[in-house]
Amino acid sequence: LYGNTTDVRAADRYGVRISLAPDWSPSGAKSSLHELKVADQWNQQVMGGHFSDYDLVSMVTRNPSFANNWDEYVGRLLPNMVADIVVLDTFHEDPYRNMIEAIDADVRLTMVGGMPLFGDEFIMKALKGDDWESIEGSGFSKAVDVTFPSAFNGHQRWSEISSNMAITMSGDTTAMKEHWTDGQS
């Protein structure tokens, strides 16, 4: 943390299954794709390539499923498992290197539990009709659907959630009080 990290080589030598995920913005990355790039850079520059590309990708896919005892449901593409899938543009023959080097714009589709949640607009339109919102990235646009009617507040759309986050992040307590009343979120 802040220029150093856990001795993951020792953990690996002792057979510890290592997982990798973003933790918080001040010192970490904002997504697993970004975190993979940081880990890859540390692996190459500081640890002499101790971990293979397969090892690094496993740290954001299958290893967390084992750590949470969810390995019967997620973390691998096998029959009867939950369909949590990311589809990326291909620019490397090695799929693990491809994932490590992928950026947000390269994500063609993300599915969680078999439901399309994020991806290229034409793919989301084919899978969900008009039930998605367009969002802008840095030089690209994608489609997102965060609604899930059976969940608490599952009716909220991304535009509403991001607006609420902007108000909260502003730190303006007057705006927060004006925007929310008891029982609203």
Side-chain angles (χ1 to χ4, degrees):
L1 192 62
Y2 304 113
N4 205 353
T5 191
T6 304
D7 187 354
V8 290
R9 286 181 287 200
D12 186 45
R13 282 192 297 272
Y14 284 99
V16 173
R17 186 175 283 125
I18 300 164
S19 295
L20 179 66
D23 49 8
W24 71 313
S25 296
S27 69
K30 298 189 184 318
S31 77
S32 294
L33 281 181
H34 297 176
E35 197 73 31
L36 266 174
K37 284 157 200 46
V38 173
D40 181 55
Q41 184 177 22
W42 187 268
N43 183 49
Q44 297 305 319
Q45 294 178 1
V46 177
M47 298 192 304
H50 177 84
F51 294 103
S52 69
D53 292 348
Y54 173 82
D55 294 333
L56 290 173
V57 170
S58 292
M59 291 178 194
V60 299
T61 56
R62 63 191 303 261
N63 291 3
S65 72
F66 284 102
N68 289 293
N69 290 323
W70 295 347
D71 53 294
E72 292 182 34
Y73 311 103
V74 298
R76 296 166 292 159
L77 295 175
L78 294 171
N80 300 317
M81 295 186 86
V82 176
D84 291 348
I85 300 168
V86 64
V87 178
L88 303 169
D89 277 337
T90 301
F91 40 86
H92 281 286
E93 193 171 310
D94 179 342
Y96 305 109
R97 175 57 32 193
N98 196 70
M99 185 164 177
I100 291 167
E101 292 189 12
I103 60 173
D104 299 340
D106 298 324
V107 177
R108 305 297 303 272
L109 176 66
T110 300
M111 295 177 64
V112 176
M115 297 185 307
L117 301 181
F118 177 86
D120 291 340
E121 291 179 354
F122 78 94
I123 295 173
M124 291 291 282
K125 184 165 186 64
L127 295 173
K128 299 192 64 69
D130 292 328
D131 186 21
W132 51 271
E133 295 173 79
S134 182
I135 59 172
E136 298 298 318
S138 195
F140 65 93
S141 63
K142 294 287 181 178
V144 64
D145 178 22
V146 296
T147 61
F148 193 68
S150 63
F152 176 74
N153 280 343
H155 63 282
Q156 290 182 324
R157 298 181 56 80
W158 175 250
S159 54
E160 183 182 354
I161 292 168
S162 61
S163 173
N164 289 343
M165 288 189 310
I167 292 169
T168 302
M169 295 300 290
S170 75
D172 183 346
T173 56
T174 302
M176 287 182 227
K177 288 177 184 174
E178 288 173 1
H179 187 73
W180 291 293
T181 60
D182 290 341
Q184 288 186 325
S185 55

